[in-house]
Amino acid sequence: MKSILTMSRITELFEAKKNILSIYYTAGYPNLGDTVSIAEELERSGADLLEIGFPYSDPVADGPIIQASSKDALDNGMDLKLLFEQLKDLRKTVSIPVLLMGYVNPMLQFGVENFCAACAEVGVDGCIVPDLPMIEYEELYEPIFTKHGLSNIFLITPQTSPQRIQKIDGLSNGFIYLLSSSATTGQNLEVSDTTEAYFSRIAALKLNNPTMIGFGISSKETFDKACQYANGAIIGSAFVKSLDAKNVKQSVQQFMKKFKV
Amino acid sequence: MSYFVNEKGYYGDFGGAYIPEMLYPNVEELRENYLKIIEDEDFKKEFHQLLKDYVGRPSPLYLAKRLSQKYNANIFLKREDLNHTGAHKINNTIGQILLAERLGKKRIIAETGAGQHGVATATVCALRGLECVVYMGEVDIKRQAPNVARMKMLGAKVVPATSGSKTLKDATNEAMRDWINNPVDTHYIIGSVVGPHPYPDMVAIFQSIISEETKKQLIEQTGNDQPDYVLACVGGGSNAMGMFYHFIDDEKVKLIAVEAGGKGVDSGFSAATTALGKEGVLHGSRSILMQTHDGQVVEPHSVSAGLDYPGIGPQHAHLFKTGRGSYVSITDDESLQAGLLLTQMEGIIPAIESAHALAYLEKMTFKGGENVVICLSGRGDKDMDTYMKYFNL
């Protein structure tokens, strides 16, 4: 049993709150220097958890909006070295859990050990790396993540088999990212009977880890709907789309207003 | 040392299946079934029947006499250019469409660069009556208009990839996104020995007919199935893997893979992946790719759209790293000159891709009497525009 003192920010959040609102955005977008100020503004506006995307040239799991923000961020000059510099003083102003999300190749080039060490140093709580296979994580990287106290967040889809879900649950610490459907990011969530059956099926598995629903959440209605089936939900494309390069703070506040209870 | 895939989907340090969870069930279904299906007698019979009656196999192994005289060696050309649709690509699409049918898939997607793989996919979809969607970079759609028209006439839907550089790499991304969004009824026919395991192995097996036939034909023509050298061009590397396949374990046979040097390896306009790349992950496998310090994929350049790819298949990366294969490069200019030379000495207009392999003969020295096999992977009809502009024809 972990004591309260060593409990991670993520675990603490899930123990304390329901209907957790997590926001994804791309580091270095819309302007190169916006990374930390968006985080601060999101926390002020009521976000519970942040996923900061580190951009990649070939984001195959993403739809047009996050593809475009990734490209703009790269054109702006974002890379992992700069991102960690920007996040150096993150924990002076941001107290909610922060995850980094991105593809495996930039992480490999940075070095997984260096990457994890840098995350721990700036106070990042975990990672979501969609194209890092579970088996590689288990065999090669889990000890490194554990050493640096980082959570690794896995995805599951309606097509993921029950055996695989159990395995993912065993390897997870933090939460599990439940995709509303097998889809690239940025599409609308339509909760059909089959989606509902899938969410209920997952709920019935009584997993050890909490779950967050992502992909297709864009409004208060879809957020509330998702919260019926999970501990919370993740908004990505809809938030990224709403960012206004000239009035970043105001556009964050404007977007978050919709989610105030 | 094994040069083939292990049970984990790796070739030495390369390979694997670096895919998002959304693709896992599709790829896993393939992994569990591909060898069972390929080794099934009924499948084999249908595959070989179609290769014979529809594709026109075996393709000839032609001793190019005038070229042989010029280079002082016996130069054999494996004539994949004579296949139906004009290149080796159809060997793989025939295999994969039969496999897709056996998996109960109703819809086929593919990526294409120059359009050769797109045409080969549209062709087999027409043949079997399956829906076909081909992703092609917007830039390539403009420079390969005749192939776009062929695909449309064959009933395929050609979807422009408008992200990134709008070429082959981006068409591949779009095809992968389509597959994520259509996880149940769709099969993705990847055109090269790239992608997550089991694609590199599966495509290599379908293309291995090239070297299987070559060995038999060499016995017939020379009494010896061990050539001294085997050469092929490499983009992703499917014709090369087919040409190397049955020679890989015979270390007396030297394997030479010719990459596209573009305007020169150090010019900033090149697709010479092994010279310029580093180890990393692209399109689902760990291999060698052209990338920045930060792991962003770099845009390649080659006069030949079929070689214009920033990576190579993981098995090639393994042959390169272990030294089993020699990986060399040829510039745009050298390849075009070699294309003209073959045309005027042997009456064969080669695809510019294949001309890269031919061009490397200029850099080799022979004692006389060596047997050299070159994979003539495709015909040059699709490249006439480029040849016309370059030689003012």
Side-chain angles (χ1 to χ4, degrees):
Chain A
M1 188 79 184
K2 279 182 182 173
S3 79
I4 294 292
L5 286 173
T6 60
M7 194 187 282
S8 76
R9 270 183 286 259
I10 297 174
T11 311
E12 214 170 316
L13 171 67
F14 280 92
E15 296 207 345
K17 263 199 97 171
K18 282 192 175 121
N19 302 346
I20 289 164
L21 173 59
S22 179
I23 303 284
Y24 167 93
Y25 65 97
T26 307
Y29 174 87
N31 307 296
L32 186 60
D34 289 337
T35 314
V36 173
S37 51
I38 290 177
E40 292 165 355
E41 202 53 46
L42 279 169
E43 178 165 350
R44 268 199 290 275
S45 313
D48 301 306
L49 178 71
L50 301 178
E51 296 170 23
I52 303 180
F54 51 96
Y56 178 48
S57 54
D58 295 80
V60 291
D62 286 300
I65 293 167
I66 294 176
Q67 284 174 44
S69 66
S70 302
K71 185 173 186 304
D72 286 356
L74 290 172
D75 290 346
N76 287 344
M78 180 48 67
D79 64 16
L80 276 174
K81 186 165 170 277
L82 178 62
L83 177 59
F84 286 120
E85 271 165 37
Q86 289 184 343
L87 296 179
K88 192 164 45 101
D89 296 323
L90 175 78
R91 287 303 171 199
K92 289 188 180 156
T93 53
V94 175
S95 62
I96 57 179
V98 172
L99 304 169
L100 292 191
M101 181 167 186
Y103 292 82
V104 71
N105 197 49
M107 188 172 118
L108 289 178
Q109 302 310 318
F110 197 84
V112 177
E113 175 75 51
N114 292 344
F115 179 88
C116 290
C119 283
E121 199 179 321
V122 301
V124 162
D125 303 286
C127 303
I128 310 175
V129 188
D131 61 342
L132 174 62
M134 181 164 65
I135 184 147
E136 313 287 328
Y137 174 73
E138 193 181 5
E139 288 180 2
L140 300 172
Y141 305 127
E142 194 188 12
I144 306 176
F145 274 62
T146 307
K147 181 171 96 186
H148 294 286
L150 295 176
S151 295
N152 187 35
I153 310 299
F154 290 94
L155 279 55
I156 61 183
T157 82
Q159 277 78 36
T160 308
S161 70
Q163 297 88 323
R164 192 167 161 84
I165 293 173
Q166 297 292 358
K167 179 136 205 239
I168 285 171
D169 192 34
L171 271 178
S172 297
N173 54 348
F175 65 91
I176 294 173
Y177 196 138
L178 215 59
L179 299 192
S180 47
S181 62
S182 178
T184 44
T185 55
Q187 300 177 38
N188 286 325
L189 173 64
E190 286 164 25
V191 182
S192 63
D193 291 353
T194 47
T195 334
E196 216 160 328
Y198 153 65
F199 290 153
S200 305
R201 179 163 62 85
I202 301 294
L205 287 174
K206 304 246 177 288
L207 301 176
N208 293 321
N209 289 274
T211 53
M212 294 282 285
I213 292 178
F215 283 32
I217 315 291
S218 58
S219 62
K220 177 83 166 93
E221 290 71 43
T222 45
F223 175 74
D224 288 344
K225 188 102 198 169
C227 288
Q228 292 173 20
Y229 302 97
N231 300 68
I234 299 155
I235 299 175
S237 297
F239 175 72
V240 171
K241 194 179 171 185
S242 78
L243 287 170
D244 175 356
K246 293 198 185 86
N247 295 295
V248 175
K249 280 191 179 180
Q250 288 87 330
S251 59
V252 173
Q253 289 162 2
Q254 194 69 26
F255 185 86
M256 293 297 289
K257 250 189 221 162
K258 290 187 275 185
F259 295 91
K260 288 263 166 67
V261 192
Chain B
M1 166 94 58
S2 169
Y3 298 113
F4 292 91
V5 77
N6 68 19
E7 69 288 349
K8 287 182 172 173
Y10 274 83
Y11 307 84
D13 297 335
F14 305 106
Y18 291 78
I19 44 169
E21 187 62 28
M22 297 83 102
L23 286 178
Y24 182 84
N26 289 340
V27 172
E28 183 62 11
E29 181 186 30
L30 259 187
R31 192 189 66 78
E32 279 176 354
N33 292 295
Y34 82 110
L35 289 177
K36 249 184 287 177
I37 293 175
I38 292 171
E39 283 159 14
D40 174 66
E41 285 307 318
D42 175 65
F43 177 91
K44 278 196 216 165
K45 199 173 152 221
E46 201 173 5
F47 180 55
H48 286 285
Q49 197 73 43
L50 279 171
L51 287 185
K52 178 168 170 278
D53 300 334
Y54 187 71
V55 176
R57 302 203 72 92
S59 67
L61 183 72
Y62 166 67
L63 175 62
K65 291 220 176 69
R66 296 186 66 204
L67 215 57
S68 298
Q69 256 172 1
K70 177 175 160 60
Y71 290 114
N72 192 32
N74 303 316
I75 312 290
F76 292 90
L77 304 178
K78 181 59 176 163
R79 298 290 308 274
E80 294 299 301
D81 61 316
L82 294 176
N83 291 341
H84 179 43
T85 71
H88 70 289
K89 292 288 186 190
I90 190 117
N91 303 328
N92 169 46
T93 60
I94 294 266
Q96 285 203 48
I97 198 102
L98 296 180
L99 191 132
E101 284 177 345
R102 280 158 176 79
L103 291 173
K105 305 292 176 178
K106 305 282 179 242
R107 181 173 173 272
I108 300 295
I109 57 171
E111 83 296 337
T112 196
Q116 291 305 105
H117 174 60
V119 168
T121 304
T123 298
V124 297
C125 287
L127 178 69
R128 308 303 281 202
L130 291 181
E131 185 188 346
C132 180
V133 178
V134 179
Y135 290 89
M136 187 168 184
E138 205 172 43
V139 170
D140 290 333
I141 286 181
K142 284 190 191 123
R143 45 180 192 189
Q144 307 288 340
N147 271 344
V148 176
R150 289 166 82 193
M151 286 184 270
K152 286 185 177 164
M153 190 167 168
L154 287 159
K157 186 175 162 200
V158 181
V159 181
T162 56
S163 58
S165 61
K166 307 176 175 64
T167 58
L168 177 57
K169 161 178 94 69
D170 311 286
T172 308
N173 293 339
E174 287 304 330
M176 291 179 105
R177 289 181 186 120
D178 180 308
W179 211 20
I180 287 173
N181 288 310
N182 296 283
V184 181
D185 68 337
T186 298
H187 176 69
Y188 176 17
I189 300 190
I190 295 184
S192 193
V193 287
V194 301
H197 177 67
Y199 276 103
D201 188 43
M202 179 171 71
V203 176
I205 291 171
F206 290 142
Q207 292 295 358
S208 70
I209 187 74
I210 300 173
S211 47
E212 189 184 318
E213 287 175 2
T214 300
K215 277 173 87 92
K216 283 187 202 142
Q217 291 163 323
L218 278 171
I219 290 267
E220 285 164 18
Q221 295 183 32
T222 69
N224 177 2
D225 70 354
Q226 274 187 327
D228 297 283
Y229 298 95
V230 173
L231 280 82
C233 64
V234 176
S238 68
N239 92 84
M241 203 43 73
M243 186 75 252
F244 292 171
Y245 198 89
H246 291 285
F247 297 111
I248 287 179
D249 281 334
D250 184 350
E251 306 237 3
K252 283 191 199 125
V253 180
K254 295 186 185 71
L255 308 177
I256 301 179
V258 184
E259 296 181 328
K263 295 179 201 273
V265 169
D266 300 318
S267 65
F269 297 92
S270 177
T273 303
T274 57
L276 297 168
K278 280 186 304 184
E279 292 180 19
V281 170
L282 176 66
H283 295 147
S285 62
R286 192 189 265 264
S287 185
I288 297 173
L289 57 131
M290 292 166 55
Q291 55 184 319
T292 65
H293 71 281
D294 190 41
Q296 311 299 337
V297 182
V298 165
E299 292 308 329
H301 165 86
S302 168
V303 66
S304 116
L307 303 182
D308 207 350
Y309 185 71
I312 49 169
Q315 195 170 9
H316 282 295
H318 184 52
L319 295 180
F320 169 71
K321 195 171 178 180
T322 56
R324 174 65 188 95
S326 304
Y327 286 71
V328 298
S329 70
I330 281 296
T331 64
D332 290 350
D333 290 332
E334 290 165 335
S335 70
L336 290 161
Q337 293 297 345
L340 183 66
L341 184 81
L342 184 75
T343 305
Q344 300 196 337
M345 287 191 77
E346 298 287 348
I348 300 169
I349 303 178
I352 300 173
E353 288 81 0
S354 323
H356 280 74
L358 292 161
Y360 195 68
L361 286 171
E362 288 284 338
K363 317 223 160 179
M364 297 172 75
T365 44
F366 299 105
K367 295 189 298 253
E370 292 98 326
N371 289 334
V372 180
V373 181
I374 299 178
C375 188
L376 199 66
S377 55
R379 68 179 82 132
D381 305 28
K382 69 181 176 64
D383 295 316
M384 284 316 297
D385 251 10
T386 312
Y387 281 132
M388 279 155 70
K389 276 185 199 131
Y390 190 80
F391 293 114
N392 281 320
L393 300 171

